[in-house]
């Protein structure tokens, strides 16, 4: 599909646009790919031929391992650090501001920013094996940029449970707590159900669907400022000694 970690965007005749991301390190996001994902979503949002977007990743095992830890470890100044987290903020905002419904298919584990993408989806389907984890506190940073989207979808109790315990939570737990709208037994049926749903959503009036989406996101108009400021907080933390040490330990597997 896209072994070098590119974003692909393909319009189907039924008005569904398939946007696929991928990276050899468990579909983690370096900043270059965050930029490309935002551009693909913005372009699809402006395209009159696109009525619904499916956002999915390649492979069967990991939907998305969040921020690319190699890039995080290499960052050495506050401006670059903030810019990295702004990349995730812009992705969440692009998904929120896109006038087309975005369906996300989670075919395996989702961690950190990967959980944020699921939370920013208008409709999220997942396999029964699609466990989730917020690992940020265990590497001395925080899920600050993605947390508002998680709280909106799951409520404060579930979002605080998983952000504080940093443990794996099952797909069933994610479904019961509102992150995943539907669970499918395996990857094949996930992709089939996703495409069927997207085809149905693409048949709606674009204007009515855009207004519906806008209404579902009421109350989040202040997010651009919140996420900008949270990216700065994350950027400051990632340069701290505990974060540098934890990131280095992840790479050396100590
Ligand atoms: C994904 C599993 C479960 C697979 O677990 P596994 O199948 O046991 O594989 P593994 O752990 O042996 O990983 C295979 C290779 O992928 C690499 N790898 C793996 N993940 C990453 C990554 N993210 N970035 C860069 N490299 C990664 C890993 O280093 C390794 O490299 P190798 O030793 O073969 O050279 C495991 O590797 C894992 O837990 N990865 C770490 C996930 C993680 O902690 N992600 C960071 C989240 S922080 C974040 O997203 C910040 C954000 C956006 O939320 C901040 C905010 O909201 O403000």
């Amino acid at each position: 599909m896209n072994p070098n970690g590119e974003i692909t965007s393909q319009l189907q005749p039924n008005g569904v646009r398939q946007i696929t991301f991928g990276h050899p390190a468990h579909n983690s996001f370096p900043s270059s790919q965050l930029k490309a994902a935002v551009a693909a979503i913005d372009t699809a949002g402006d395209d009159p031929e696109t009525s619904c977007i499916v956002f999915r990743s390649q492979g069967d095992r990991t939907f998305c391992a969040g921020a690319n830890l190699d890039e995080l470890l290499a960052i050495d100044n506050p401006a670059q650090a903030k810019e990295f987290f702004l990349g995730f903020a812009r992705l969440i905002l692009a998904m929120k501001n896109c006038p087309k419904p975005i369906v996300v298919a989670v075919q395996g584990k989702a961690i950190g920013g990967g959980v944020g993408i699921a939370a920013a989806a208008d409709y999220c389907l997942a396999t029964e094996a699609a466990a989730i984890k917020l690992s940020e506190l265990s590497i001395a940073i925080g899920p600050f940029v993605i947390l508002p989207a998680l709280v909106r979808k799951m409520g404060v109790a579930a979002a605080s449970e998983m952000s504080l315990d940093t443990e794996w939570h099952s797909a069933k737990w994610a479904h019961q707590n509102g992150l995943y709208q539907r669970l499918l037994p395996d990857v094949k049926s996930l992709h089939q159900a996703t495409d069927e749903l997207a085809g149905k959503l693409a048949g709606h009036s674009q204007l009515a669907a855009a207004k519906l989406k806008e209404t579902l996101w009421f109350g989040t108009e202040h997010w651009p400022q919140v996420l900008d400021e949270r990216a700065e907080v994350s950027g400051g933390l990632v340069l701290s000694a505990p974060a540098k040490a934890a990131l280095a330990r992840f790479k050396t597997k100590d």
Side-chain angles (χ1 to χ4, degrees):
M1 200 190 294
N2 45 1
N4 300 320
E6 296 152 7
I7 303 283
T8 60
S9 178
Q10 274 180 328
L11 182 63
Q12 298 175 178
N14 64 355
V16 174
R17 183 171 287 277
Q18 302 278 349
I19 301 180
T20 306
F21 63 93
H23 189 280
H26 290 274
N27 297 332
S28 57
F29 271 95
S31 48
S32 57
Q33 216 177 150
L34 287 166
K35 273 198 196 99
V38 170
I41 289 169
D42 286 350
T43 303
D46 290 341
D47 173 22
E49 303 298 317
T50 299
S51 296
C52 176
I53 297 166
V54 174
F55 196 38
R56 50 168 45 122
S57 68
Q58 65 181 26
D60 286 353
R61 280 184 56 224
T62 312
F63 167 66
C64 173
N68 185 276
L69 299 179
D70 294 317
E71 187 169 332
L72 273 191
L73 184 59
I75 289 174
D76 62 5
N77 70 81
Q80 199 191 353
K82 178 178 177 183
E83 188 55 31
F84 181 88
F85 292 101
L86 272 181
F88 263 104
R90 292 187 191 114
L91 179 56
I92 301 288
L93 291 173
M95 293 178 74
K96 160 181 132 53
N97 294 333
C98 179
K100 316 290 165 62
I102 300 181
V103 180
V104 168
V106 178
Q107 80 282 28
K109 288 175 179 152
I111 306 142
V115 180
I117 292 170
D122 297 301
Y123 208 117
C124 188
L125 299 90
T127 56
E128 283 164 7
I132 55 173
K133 176 162 88 164
L134 292 183
S135 62
E136 287 85 345
L137 242 55
S138 65
I139 48 172
I141 60 170
F144 306 125
V145 166
I146 61 165
L147 209 46
L150 266 184
V151 170
R152 170 182 172 268
K153 257 270 173 91
M154 307 180 81
V156 176
S160 74
E161 181 180 342
M162 69 180 302
S163 56
L164 284 169
D165 69 22
T166 69
E167 302 286 348
W168 286 110
H169 290 267
S170 67
K172 192 171 165 206
W173 182 89
H175 181 235
Q176 282 165 347
N177 284 289
L179 182 69
Y180 296 153
Q181 271 98 344
R182 251 181 96 184
L183 287 188
L184 284 304
D186 52 45
V187 178
K188 192 170 172 226
S189 50
L190 171 76
H191 290 317
Q192 199 174 346
T194 300
D195 290 337
E196 274 170 20
L197 175 73
K200 180 174 182 185
L201 302 194
H204 295 321
S205 142
Q206 281 196 11
L207 186 59
K211 290 292 165 198
L212 177 77
K213 178 161 173 172
E214 208 175 276
T215 312
L216 286 167
W217 284 87
F218 270 166
T220 61
E221 296 81 7
H222 60 297
W223 276 21
Q225 298 92 290
V226 171
L227 298 192
D228 182 273
E229 190 268 340
R230 289 293 93 184
E232 191 156 347
V233 173
S234 287
L237 275 175
V238 85
L239 293 172
S240 69
K244 284 285 177 207
L247 286 165
R249 271 199 305 277
F250 176 75
K251 289 319 291 180
T252 55
K253 303 185 195 304
D254 288 343

